[in-house]
Structures are given as structure tokens and as C-alpha cells.
């Protein structure tokens, strides 16, 4: 075969491959769920009960999620999640192919899955709109949805939904719900060590949270702090100080039994009956 024929064959195969990929994407895209925009995002939230002095005395929920606007999340908390999950979030268009390759190399070197290649946008697309099955087709759908989400939403809007949606163990959803559940704090009052601990819970929240295993949570805290240092999000002194800090969570108590249990139960029954 002459070099001209060989070159022609290569071009023909490449053209056929590109055509096949394009057709596959068109077919898959025609059956994708609707993109969840910020105005359509209506997650389950905690119903809170307050007394006449504005003291919180009870709460009812299926998912312990307390809403927080992105503008109210401290920068170091956002950076902890970016370091743990997607340090190039503000640079990619929904899918990071360099991140996929980097995760592949690190996992091969370590001999275990230490990093995932999915961006925060992909994780959000999967969590909100797709099933958790692990198939190539689902991964392709996830990537297409991630690209579409980036065209419908700003980066700040994606992070706002992500930080309110993500499950962080112990029935806590979202960064505010988790800060409340583990440390009895608002996100703005978290320490760097506590923020890093929460950011480390995204992969196995039920197993790694500080109530289930303080040792595993501490390992996640160290990993996230190390990543924050690598990305120059924190200084060496901040890193060392956060390593020395205790991340012991609050004692697990039921707020509904703490202040006015009979009244709170009366409110719960009334709400169930009326609504």
C-alpha cells in the first residue's frame, strides 16, 4: 500500500470515528434530564422552631440541610472543597481532562483509588440528575450534562448549589448543615481544621465523619490541608497550626429534647396534621 493510500485510510478512519462520536453524543443528549438551574433548585430544608426570644428549640427534617448563600460562605471553606475535589474548577468548562489524567497517574502510582477525575460540576450533575450506577454510558451522560450546566449557570451558582446539596454524613446535607451537626457552628465560625475535615468527607461521608471515626476524619483533614498547601491556598504556618488543632465534634444531642420537648412535639404533631 502506498503512503498516499495509507494516509487516506487514516483520514477516513478518523472521520468515521469523529462521526460516530458525534452521533453518539446527539443521541445521548436527546434523552438527558432538564438542567437544574438555581431558581429550579428546591432542596429539602430543615424546619426550625424558635421560642419568643428567638432561641432555637427544635427542628424537623428528612435531610438536615440549612440553606446558605454562596456569598456567605467564607473563602477558606470554598478553597478547602476546591483543594479536595477540583482545584481547577474556575478554569475548566465542566470536565477537566488534565484532572482525569492526573488522577489516573496518582492512582496507578499508589495502587489504590486516592483521587477521582470528576469535577465538582460533574459530581453535581450526577447527584442531582443521574443514577449512581457506574457505567460508561452514565459517565458520558454526566460529562455532557456538566458541559451544559456550565453554559446555563455561573461558577458561583454551581458552587452555591453544590455546597448546599452535598451529603457530608450523619444525616447532614450541605456545608451549613454539616457545620451545625458536627460543631454547632455557622460556616463563618469554622476553623481551618474543621473546614478541611468537612471538605474531606465527600467521598465516604458515613464512614469518614468525625462521629463515626475520629481517626479517619483526621486522616481526611490532613489530606485536605496538604492539598491546600500544595495549591498555595494556605501558608506553611497555617497548615501546621491547623494540624495541631483538635477536630473533636460536639456530643450528639437531640435539640428537640433539650429545651421544651413537650411543646416541640406538640408543634410537630400540629404541622403534620395541618400540612
Amino acid at each position: 500500500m502506498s503512503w498516499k493510500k495509507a494516509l487516506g485510510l487514516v483520514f477516513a478512519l478518523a472521520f468515521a470515528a469523529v462521526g460516530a462520536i458525534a452521533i453518539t453524543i446527539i443521541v445521548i443528549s436527546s434523552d438527558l434530564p432538564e438542567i437544574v438551574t438555581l431558581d429550579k433548585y428546591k432542596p429539602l430544608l430543615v424546619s426550625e422552631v424558635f421560642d419568643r426570644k428567638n432561641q432555637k428549640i427544635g427542628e424537623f427534617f428528612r435531610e438536615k440541610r440549612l440553606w446558605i448563600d454562596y456569598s456567605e460562605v467564607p473563602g477558606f471553606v470554598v478553597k478547602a472543597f476546591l483543594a479536595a475535589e477540583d482545584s481547577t474548577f474556575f478554569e475548566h468548562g465542566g470536565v477537566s481532562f488534565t484532572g482525569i489524567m492526573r488522577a489516573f497517574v496518582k492512582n496507578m502510582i499508589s495502587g489504590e483509588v486516592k483521587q477521582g477525575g470528576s469535577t465538582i460540576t460533574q459530581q453535581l450533575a450526577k447527584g442531582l440528575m443521574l443514577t449512581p450506577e457506574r457505567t460508561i454510558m452514565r459517565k458520558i451522560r454526566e460529562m455532557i450534562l456538566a458541559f451544559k450546566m456550565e453554559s446555563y449557570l455561573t461558577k458561583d451558582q454551581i458552587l452555591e448549589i453544590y455546597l448546599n446539596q452535598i451529603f457530608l454524613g450523619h444525616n447532614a446535607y450541605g456545608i451549613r448543615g454539616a457545620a451545625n451537626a458536627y460543631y454547632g457552628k455557622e460556616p463563618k465560625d469554622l476553623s481551618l481544621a474543621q473546614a478541611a475535615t468537612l471538605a474531606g468527607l465527600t467521598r465516604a461521608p458515613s464512614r469518614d465523619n468525625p462521629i463515626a471515626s475520629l481517626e479517619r476524619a483526621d486522616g481526611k483533614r490532613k489530606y485536605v490541608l496538604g492539598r491546600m498547601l500544595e495549591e498555595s491556598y494556605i501558608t506553611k504556618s497555617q497548615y501546621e497550626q491547623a494540624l495541631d488543632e483538635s477536630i473533636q465534634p460536639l456530643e450528639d444531642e437531640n435539640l428537640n429534647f433539650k429545651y421544651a420537648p413537650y411543646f416541640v412535639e406538640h408543634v410537630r404533631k400540629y404541622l403534620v396534621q395541618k400540612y
Side-chain angles (χ1 to χ4, degrees):
M1 182 183 295
S2 68
W3 69 269
K4 288 185 177 181
K5 287 185 177 180
L7 189 61
L9 180 60
V10 169
F11 276 119
L13 290 173
F15 183 78
V18 171
I21 292 171
I23 292 171
T24 301
I25 291 174
I26 291 171
V27 171
I28 294 174
S29 298
S30 66
D31 190 36
L32 287 175
E34 184 182 5
I35 295 296
V36 175
T37 54
L38 196 57
D39 61 321
K40 294 178 182 176
Y41 177 59
K42 305 295 181 185
L44 295 174
L45 298 175
V46 171
S47 296
E48 300 173 276
V49 183
F50 295 86
D51 67 13
R52 61 185 176 181
K53 296 181 180 179
N54 206 36
Q55 166 74 42
K56 184 175 175 179
I57 60 173
E59 56 186 15
F60 314 124
F61 55 86
R62 277 193 288 169
E63 295 178 358
K64 185 166 183 152
R65 180 185 287 106
L66 298 164
W67 181 265
I68 185 168
D69 292 336
Y70 178 69
S71 60
E72 297 175 8
V73 183
F76 72 92
V77 175
V78 174
K79 288 178 178 178
F81 279 88
L82 293 180
E85 295 299 317
D86 188 0
S87 60
T88 62
F89 174 75
F90 285 101
E91 301 162 21
H92 62 67
V95 177
S96 173
F97 295 103
T98 56
I100 292 172
M101 290 304 300
R102 188 187 310 114
F104 176 76
V105 171
K106 287 195 173 185
N107 293 337
M108 287 293 290
I109 292 173
S110 66
E112 59 179 322
V113 179
K114 285 197 169 185
Q115 282 192 16
S118 294
T119 64
I120 281 177
T121 314
Q122 286 177 260
Q123 293 177 40
L124 190 58
K126 179 176 69 174
L128 285 177
M129 293 174 278
L130 297 174
T131 61
E133 62 179 339
R134 295 189 175 186
T135 64
I136 294 177
M137 189 60 67
R138 201 274 298 153
K139 193 69 176 178
I140 294 173
R141 287 163 61 86
E142 172 191 301
M143 294 171 75
I144 295 172
L145 279 171
F147 282 126
K148 293 184 70 174
M149 285 182 74
E150 293 270 353
S151 66
Y152 277 85
L153 300 166
T154 66
K155 290 288 188 178
D156 288 358
Q157 288 174 329
I158 291 171
L159 280 175
E160 180 165 295
I161 297 176
Y162 176 80
L163 291 171
N164 279 288
Q165 176 67 22
I166 191 168
F167 176 56
L168 294 172
H170 202 57
N171 207 28
Y173 290 78
I175 183 61
R176 189 177 172 208
N180 181 275
Y182 294 118
Y183 299 112
K185 295 181 176 182
E186 290 295 311
K188 65 182 177 64
D189 299 318
L190 289 170
S191 68
L192 175 58
Q194 291 168 341
T197 302
L198 298 183
L201 303 184
T202 57
R203 301 293 166 140
S206 297
R207 181 192 66 186
D208 295 340
N209 75 72
I211 291 176
S213 172
L214 194 58
E215 182 180 356
R216 295 190 70 91
D218 184 53
K220 295 299 180 181
R221 180 262 304 257
K222 291 176 180 175
Y223 167 74
V224 175
L225 288 173
R227 286 286 301 121
M228 294 182 79
L229 185 62
E230 284 179 27
E231 296 294 333
S232 299
Y233 292 158
I234 57 175
T235 64
K236 183 70 172 177
S237 61
Q238 289 175 313
Y239 169 77
E240 292 173 348
Q241 183 178 351
L243 281 181
D244 291 335
E245 184 184 327
S246 170
I247 56 167
Q248 182 73 44
L250 294 175
E251 287 188 18
D252 191 17
E253 64 177 3
N254 191 325
L255 181 66
N256 293 355
F257 297 141
K258 186 174 182 180
Y259 296 106
Y262 295 108
F263 176 71
V264 170
E265 177 61 12
H266 172 73
V267 172
R268 186 193 68 81
K269 288 181 177 178
Y270 172 79
L271 291 173
V272 169
Q273 181 178 9
K274 188 172 181 62
Y275 299 106

